[in-house]
Amino acid sequence: MTQQNHGNAHKFGMVIDLDKCTGCGSCMVACMSENNVPFKEDESNKKDSITWMRVYKLTNGKSFPDTDVCYLPRPCMHCGGKGDHGHSPCVSVCPATATDYDYGTGIVSQIYTRCFGCRYCMGACPYHARFFNWWDPKWPEGMEEYLSPDVSPRMRGVVEKCSFCFHRYQAAKDKAYLEERDTVAEEEYQTACTQACPSGAITFGDLNNPDHAVHQLVNPDPHHCGRPRNPKAFRLLERLETNPKVYYISEREWVRKAGDNYLDGEWEKAKMKKTKGHE
Amino acid sequence: MKVDRRSFLGLGLGAAAGVAVTPATWKLMDDSSIWTQNWPWTPVPPDGEVTFEDTVCTLCSGNCGISVRKINGRPVKIEGTTGHPVNDGGVCLHGISALQYLYDPSRVKSPMIKTDDTWKEVSWEKALAHAAEALGNIRKADNANAIACITDNDKGTVSGLFKRLTTVLGSNNYYTMDTMEKAWATTIDAVNGVKAHVGFDLKNSDLILSFGSGFIEGWGAPVYNFQVNARRKTHGIKLIQVEPRLSNTAAAADKWVPAKPGTEADLALAICGVLITKGLYNKKAIQADDPSFKAFAKMAQEKYSPARTARTTGIDVASIQNLAMAFADAEKPVAIAGRGKGDSAGSTREFAAVYALNCLAGNINAPGGFWLMDKDPAEVWPSIEMDAMATQGFARAKFVETDTVDSLMAKVTASAKSPVEALLVYNANPCYSLKNAKAVTEAVKKIPFVISFSSYMDETTQLADVVLPSHMFLERREDVSLTGPVPLDITALTRPMVSPLFDTRHPGDSVLSLAAAMEGSVAASFPWESYDACLEAVKAPVWKALSEKGSVVKEPVSLVKKIERMDFSLLLNDTAVVAAEGDEATYPLVLMPVDNIRLTGEIAASPFAVKTVSDKVLKGTDSFIEINPETADQLRLSQGDEVTLTTPVGSAIVKVNLFDGIMPGVLAMAHGLGHTMAENPYVGGKGVNVNALVGPVMDAISGLDAAWGIRAKISRV
């Protein structure tokens, strides 16, 4: 297959409809099962609980009975960095080139055997999407049988994170190559969480391809690094200019507001700007 | 050599320059990092050919179609089967985790016999002979009816074999665990005088009025419901949730109606009253001059007037009327009941009140409505042989009239000597999942001989005398019938995905070999060579389709063309009201067990599922109770405080989680924690089993457990 140049580069991304998400946790387990994520006897210390995909519970802060709850699944955002040039917060700080930005897909990689565990990337990531292996993974006797050969099990001392199931992209490309096709169809490359979500809340595809559902859902603005033009869509901490490739959709205003930190009165201005569109 | 300042600095700088220039430093660092990453214990999963095989998940009543991804025949991942009528590609976290149940090293790996509280692994012959001898002795003592059997439900050939074994041994004491399915069946029977399976055509409805059902928290067929919920956005299906706590369902709903706990039936009846008063019911479906309807109408309008009901439920008059209007305005409204996941029964009054709403809407057996279905099990069983001991035993009275394990256990508890002398338990874990689990555990301890067919050392199996371990569902072929309230009649076939990992047997084969060991008429009643032969013979009417396609999907056969009888007189019965146990003066608060989709009931959740549980539900080994900040303030409690939670049934030390979404004065605690499986530290020994804190309340009409909570108090540790 020919080397992809900038002209036909993909930009894989995800759109999560928070109004459809029920917080069931299928995406988390689908991810753990797909990517050989280990588990410990006690996983209730969430700071060291490795969850490439983690579902957060948000509340609107109002008292009974005006309370509302929303679940927010958080994979790696695969940030494009400022200007969407591939300078993701984590990639910029990695001294080992263990994490890198792939311009052909927009995916931020993680190469475990290159990582020497300095954890700069974890400090740099504003989304807490990265996890450190404080211990060697240990599977109960016999459970190693279910490990998949597609993703290498990690070892103590390295950082790991969501890869947008890159091995699935590789498999889809291999299949396309064998069948002498140049392109991978939308449905051929889907992440494990997208596939498992029983609510169909997660959509995955190429944000550069107007035919893909993700593009149609958020209508990314190419002049503003993919900022969503759908007023119901948002990205987490948009103002950091990390340019994530994970978008969220919600009809609920308080949920959209929860996507960033606003000073008093600031949200109203931001909203105005949004509804006016981009000049 | 003399070391002066000059040479010291020279050497030092030289060494620094050398270290900086030489590649040795970097090479050594690199080598050491590579060395630390290549431990022999870091697994390297072997690669191979990828294949997919389809089967059915039987972890809950949803029976989703699952595809098992294999590498060289080794299962590595579970995914949902695209196009399956229940789950169409979706799958829940427990289904995905099924491989952790398969490879679980704490499974019962071979038959075991317990002597003096010590387990010993034995051969199948020995275990079967031991069990057969114990059962034979009971029969010889002319006490065959003292053998009891508990299974999860009575659907399919495996349950059929257990029931058959119980009968030919000479006992009518065959029981199944409570579910909302049972509660619906007794309600429909009481109102219409028919035996029916219920199904809700939620996909085609336009308003779902849910009375405490955890519609998207594992209720019925969970994945089916998730997909209905997702359809709401595109198809404009409205959801209204009546519940005192902002559950995930309530949060997802278009409207949350926080009625006081235990008053759901009152609210449903008040809505009925408003519909009747305003003439907003379906006049084609209801015969207004029918005396039973007149009596019902009078009661609903008077006893459950909006003004009175507002006081009982805490929902104001206008809201009650708005609910009724919303229900009347909808084209295809449907009301549902069955608390949480529907894993327990519930109050007949509540089910009947919700059923009455559906009757008034005229949606019985209508698209988008409430289906009363006749499901043909399509099974042919050969006749049985009963010897004198069996005939005599079977002729005796059943220990308890209703088919409920709670009552059976209560009977054992109340008797000085257990009337049950031998208990067979298959696919059920009453010592964990029944309310007042501690009392049930004590009752099971009183039973002289317990045979468990479990694959896991669960709470009930720990008390057994013999374990005849079963293959888990990925290791066996079995017919399963969808029991979740979906308007479809599906019989599916699970297929073995791997050869059994341990020295276990198919539960059907275990029954056959146990019967063979009993000899005589018992053995003669099981003429099949193996369970596979039995399955093929019994399922003969549908075997061809079942074995070729893996499932038989039938459109529902509606049972009731027109409602002949609608007798809601049971609602006039005041004793049908189910109150929380305990007096208000001693126990000022109300504790409600709540279902959490990430946890399971009878079988403990998998390590993956437990990992996803919030640290505000489980932290270390501590369970949390949810409490409104206002109530916590009055009790001077703050987030994370340790408290003693006491109910009339028991007490436990738990931690406090402040949650605005729960009604003041109400406490909520998640079901599914507190499993005592010491062999499995990933899921055992975590938190408190809420069933140990809540006692059963026998429903006055059905006799099934209808408890929805219990009164409670908390005090600082």
Side-chain angles (χ1 to χ4, degrees):
Chain A
M1 193 174 266
T2 51
Q3 174 75 40
Q4 261 145 358
N5 57 38
H6 203 73
N8 59 15
H10 301 293
K11 189 175 163 188
F12 290 107
M14 191 176 274
V15 181
I16 306 178
D17 188 330
L18 300 180
D19 299 332
K20 282 187 184 169
C21 176
T22 64
C24 74
S26 282
C27 52
M28 293 172 76
V29 172
C31 171
M32 293 179 209
S33 181
E34 178 79 20
N35 293 299
N36 296 337
V37 176
F39 54 90
K40 309 187 295 293
E41 282 184 19
D42 181 12
E43 288 283 2
S44 66
N45 180 3
K46 299 302 176 188
K47 282 182 183 160
D48 66 30
S49 177
I50 300 177
T51 42
W52 293 10
M53 174 63 116
R54 176 174 293 181
V55 179
Y56 287 91
K57 186 178 182 177
L58 315 177
T59 52
N60 65 351
K62 292 190 180 167
S63 57
F64 184 88
D66 300 315
T67 322
D68 196 6
V69 159
C70 178
Y71 287 91
L72 184 137
R74 190 250 40 224
C76 167
M77 300 285 139
H78 295 274
C79 303
K82 190 164 181 175
D84 218 5
H85 297 308
H87 302 296
S88 322
C90 52
V91 171
S92 319
V93 299
C94 180
T97 331
T99 185
D100 207 357
Y101 191 84
D102 177 19
Y103 291 93
T105 57
I107 290 175
V108 176
S109 63
Q110 180 73 24
I111 300 163
Y112 314 121
T113 45
R114 272 191 200 165
C115 173
F116 50 68
C118 71
R119 293 176 282 135
Y120 282 1
C121 57
M122 291 173 69
C125 176
Y127 304 103
H128 297 280
R130 296 178 155 271
F131 296 89
F132 185 62
N133 284 275
W134 288 99
W135 301 276
D136 264 315
K138 198 180 94 200
W139 282 270
E141 190 197 340
M143 253 192 221
E144 286 181 10
E145 274 293 301
Y146 74 58
L147 294 180
S148 156
D150 297 333
V151 183
S152 15
R154 281 70 65 188
M155 58 301 280
R156 185 181 65 188
V158 302
V159 171
E160 60 181 83
K161 68 159 194 84
C162 155
S163 67
F164 268 174
C165 288
F166 191 74
H167 59 284
R168 287 188 169 213
Y169 182 54
Q170 288 171 315
K173 276 203 302 187
D174 287 352
K175 189 163 173 278
Y177 181 78
L178 275 176
E179 293 167 5
E180 300 184 341
R181 285 182 282 126
D182 285 343
T183 50
V184 167
E186 186 177 9
E187 67 280 359
E188 279 185 301
Y189 171 36
Q190 291 292 324
T191 63
C193 52
T194 310
Q195 183 193 29
C197 177
S199 299
I202 309 178
T203 313
F204 184 79
D206 185 356
L207 290 162
N208 278 352
N209 189 335
D211 295 332
H212 279 206
V214 281
H215 187 282
Q216 290 159 3
L217 280 168
V218 296
N219 194 6
D221 185 350
H223 305 297
H224 290 89
C225 308
R227 204 192 291 162
R229 280 180 290 197
N230 172 356
K232 305 292 182 197
F234 65 99
R235 299 190 287 187
L236 293 183
L237 307 176
E238 177 73 63
R239 296 182 302 174
L240 289 182
E241 296 190 56
T242 49
N243 290 314
K245 280 189 269 300
V246 177
Y247 297 73
Y248 296 91
I249 293 183
S250 179
E251 296 286 329
R252 291 173 279 183
E253 191 180 326
W254 75 264
V255 173
R256 298 198 296 272
K257 191 179 165 190
D260 210 334
N261 301 304
Y262 295 96
L263 299 170
D264 278 346
E266 215 182 356
W267 169 248
E268 299 306 319
K269 276 188 224 154
K271 232 174 35 175
M272 289 293 286
K273 203 172 155 194
K274 202 157 191 181
T275 44
K276 263 196 234 155
H278 308 287
E279 291 86 296
Chain B
M1 197 182 108
K2 199 180 122 209
V3 182
D4 56 11
R5 182 173 173 273
R6 189 185 177 89
S7 63
F8 177 79
L9 284 175
L11 273 171
L13 285 170
V19 166
V21 171
T22 177
T25 322
W26 311 108
K27 179 68 182 142
L28 283 172
M29 267 171 76
D30 191 35
D31 281 354
S32 67
S33 76
I34 290 170
W35 178 62
T36 60
Q37 289 171 358
N38 283 287
W39 301 121
W41 55 82
T42 305
V44 182
D47 209 346
E49 193 198 348
V50 185
T51 49
F52 285 88
E53 261 188 84
D54 290 350
T55 185
V56 178
C57 174
T58 64
L59 288 171
C60 84
S61 59
N63 298 154
C64 290
I66 52 172
S67 299
V68 178
R69 183 162 93 220
K70 295 179 170 185
I71 304 286
N72 267 353
R74 171 175 69 92
V76 298
K77 171 93 193 288
I78 288 181
E79 286 158 11
T81 308
T82 309
H84 192 277
V86 175
N87 58 314
D88 188 18
V91 60
C92 85
L93 73 164
H94 305 297
I96 303 170
S97 309
L99 293 178
Q100 296 198 320
Y101 289 103
L102 170 69
Y103 292 117
D104 181 355
S106 71
R107 275 179 64 182
V108 182
K109 298 188 186 76
S110 78
M112 299 209 285
I113 293 180
K114 187 159 66 185
T115 30
D116 305 327
D117 275 341
T118 329
W119 286 108
K120 204 179 149 212
E121 294 196 352
V122 294
S123 68
W124 272 94
E125 289 65 36
K126 206 168 170 190
L128 286 165
H130 185 61
E133 192 196 341
L135 297 177
N137 288 342
I138 297 170
R139 273 163 52 81
K140 276 179 211 147
D142 275 342
N143 205 10
N145 207 35
I147 300 168
C149 177
I150 300 172
T151 63
D152 57 337
N153 64 40
D154 55 4
K155 308 287 184 304
T157 51
V158 175
S159 292
L161 283 170
F162 275 98
K163 192 173 183 180
R164 190 178 176 87
L165 178 68
T166 316
T167 309
V168 298
L169 285 172
S171 170
N172 48 29
N173 282 300
Y174 170 77
Y175 301 88
T176 57
M177 298 295 279
D178 282 2
T179 55
M180 67 167 162
E181 197 205 2
K182 247 171 155 176
W184 273 119
T186 46
T187 305
I188 305 300
D189 195 13
V191 175
N192 298 125
V194 289
K195 304 255 183 268
H197 295 269
V198 301
F200 300 93
D201 191 9
L202 304 174
K203 228 171 216 171
N204 296 309
S205 69
D206 63 351
L207 173 73
I208 303 166
L209 178 53
S210 154
F211 290 86
S213 299
F215 167 57
I216 50 168
E217 281 149 300
W219 185 79
V223 176
Y224 182 88
N225 293 335
F226 285 131
Q227 291 174 351
V228 172
N229 186 58
R231 250 172 97 95
R232 286 177 44 219
K233 214 172 169 177
T234 46
H235 289 66
I237 307 169
K238 293 266 175 286
L239 170 67
I240 301 175
Q241 179 74 359
V242 180
E243 198 178 2
R245 173 181 169 267
L246 186 78
S247 63
N248 291 355
T249 308
D254 296 278
K255 191 170 171 54
W256 169 38
V257 184
K260 285 183 198 162
T263 65
E264 288 84 351
D266 300 70
L267 186 62
L269 290 169
I271 297 171
C272 287
V274 176
L275 292 176
I276 294 168
T277 308
K278 300 201 174 176
L280 291 172
Y281 57 94
N282 187 323
K283 299 200 177 71
K284 279 184 218 145
I286 303 285
Q287 291 162 316
D289 52 351
D290 177 52
S292 66
F293 175 71
K294 278 187 179 164
F296 169 69
K298 186 166 177 281
M299 176 208 57
Q301 286 167 298
E302 288 172 9
K303 204 167 157 197
Y304 298 98
S305 70
R308 276 181 79 166
T309 310
R311 286 194 296 276
T312 348
T313 60
I315 305 301
D316 62 60
V317 174
S319 299
I320 295 173
Q321 276 164 342
N322 287 343
L323 278 174
M325 293 311 288
F327 198 71
D329 285 344
E331 244 174 72
K332 288 179 284 183
V334 60
I336 62 175
R339 282 162 192 273
K341 292 186 184 181
D343 282 346
S344 53
S347 145
T348 311
R349 175 173 168 267
E350 195 176 299
F351 282 83
V354 172
Y355 182 47
L357 262 176
N358 287 297
C359 290
L360 290 176
N363 68 6
I364 310 301
N365 291 343
F370 188 116
W371 282 74
L372 296 178
M373 300 176 293
D374 189 11
K375 287 189 183 176
D376 173 15
E379 289 172 4
V380 275
W381 291 91
S383 56
I384 50 170
E385 274 183 45
M386 308 255 285
D387 56 14
M389 290 180 281
T391 319
Q392 197 210 23
F394 199 78
R396 293 207 192 143
K398 214 177 162 183
F399 288 141
V400 285
E401 273 309 302
T402 42
D403 169 25
T404 167
V405 183
D406 289 284
S407 304
L408 178 70
M409 292 302 166
K411 173 120 185 162
V412 174
T413 305
S415 317
K417 182 175 168 282
S418 168
V420 179
E421 290 187 14
L423 179 69
L424 282 68
V425 189
Y426 166 67
N427 240 4
N429 185 8
C431 294
Y432 177 85
S433 55
L434 290 185
K435 303 235 173 66
N436 201 349
K438 277 181 190 151
V440 174
T441 304
E442 290 309 311
V444 171
K445 279 184 188 163
K446 276 170 81 175
I447 299 174
F449 196 74
V450 178
I451 309 172
S452 167
F453 294 80
S454 176
S455 315
Y456 305 94
M457 204 31 97
D458 56 40
E459 287 75 3
T460 309
T461 307
Q462 287 166 26
L463 301 179
D465 297 273
V466 183
V467 194
L468 303 174
S470 298
H471 297 335
M472 64 84 73
F473 78 92
L474 293 170
E475 298 171 320
R476 71 195 204 208
R477 186 187 321 277
E478 183 186 348
D479 58 310
V480 288
S481 299
L482 178 67
T483 54
V486 174
L488 285 171
D489 185 357
I490 305 180
T491 305
L493 195 65
T494 67
R495 299 167 206 243
M497 294 289 112
V498 277
S499 329
L501 298 182
F502 305 114
D503 186 16
T504 55
R505 277 195 191 172
H506 193 295
D509 281 319
S510 299
V511 172
L512 295 186
S513 25
L514 184 59
M518 302 284 303
E519 298 172 349
S521 64
V522 178
S525 295
F526 295 86
W528 309 279
E529 221 166 69
S530 65
Y531 170 74
D532 272 352
C534 161
L535 175 66
E536 198 178 328
V538 173
K539 279 281 170 191
V542 289
W543 181 249
K544 196 171 180 299
L546 198 58
S547 56
E548 281 168 13
K549 281 187 264 164
S551 65
V552 180
V553 184
K554 284 187 277 184
E555 283 302 308
V557 180
S558 78
L559 189 70
V560 188
K561 294 273 179 286
K562 190 166 185 301
I563 300 158
E564 298 291 334
R565 183 182 123 195
M566 196 177 92
D567 181 6
F568 282 104
S569 54
L570 71 93
L571 288 166
L572 306 173
N573 181 352
D574 280 335
T575 58
V577 179
V578 179
E581 187 184 346
D583 67 291
E584 205 173 335
T586 325
Y587 302 102
L589 304 166
V590 171
L591 170 70
M592 286 178 64
V594 293
D595 283 336
N596 182 321
I597 180 74
R598 300 187 191 172
L599 288 166
T600 50
E602 293 196 332
I603 329 174
S606 61
F608 275 159
V610 172
K611 184 172 173 177
T612 67
V613 171
S614 158
D615 56 357
K616 287 178 175 171
V617 173
L618 173 75
K619 179 85 185 169
T621 56
D622 293 320
S623 272
F624 282 75
I625 45 160
E626 271 176 11
I627 182 168
N628 190 287
E630 189 189 306
T631 316
D633 247 12
Q634 288 161 3
L635 299 163
R636 295 174 190 279
L637 295 172
S638 42
Q639 179 70 31
D641 280 356
E642 238 174 35
V643 292
T644 307
L645 171 65
T646 312
T647 70
V649 171
S651 79
I653 293 174
V654 291
K655 282 186 169 171
V656 163
N657 178 35
L658 305 184
F659 181 45
D660 279 305
I662 190 163
M663 182 176 279
V666 179
L667 307 171
M669 193 168 156
H671 254 146
L673 292 168
H675 276 283
T676 58
M677 303 153 85
E679 299 285 299
N680 188 346
Y682 299 93
V683 303
K686 291 178 187 292
V688 174
N689 180 6
V690 70
N691 289 330
L693 299 169
V694 183
V697 176
M698 300 305 165
D699 188 82
I701 296 154
S702 67
L704 305 176
D705 172 27
W708 49 263
I710 194 161
R711 298 214 70 95
K713 62 177 178 185
I714 48 180
S715 54
R716 225 178 244 285
V717 174

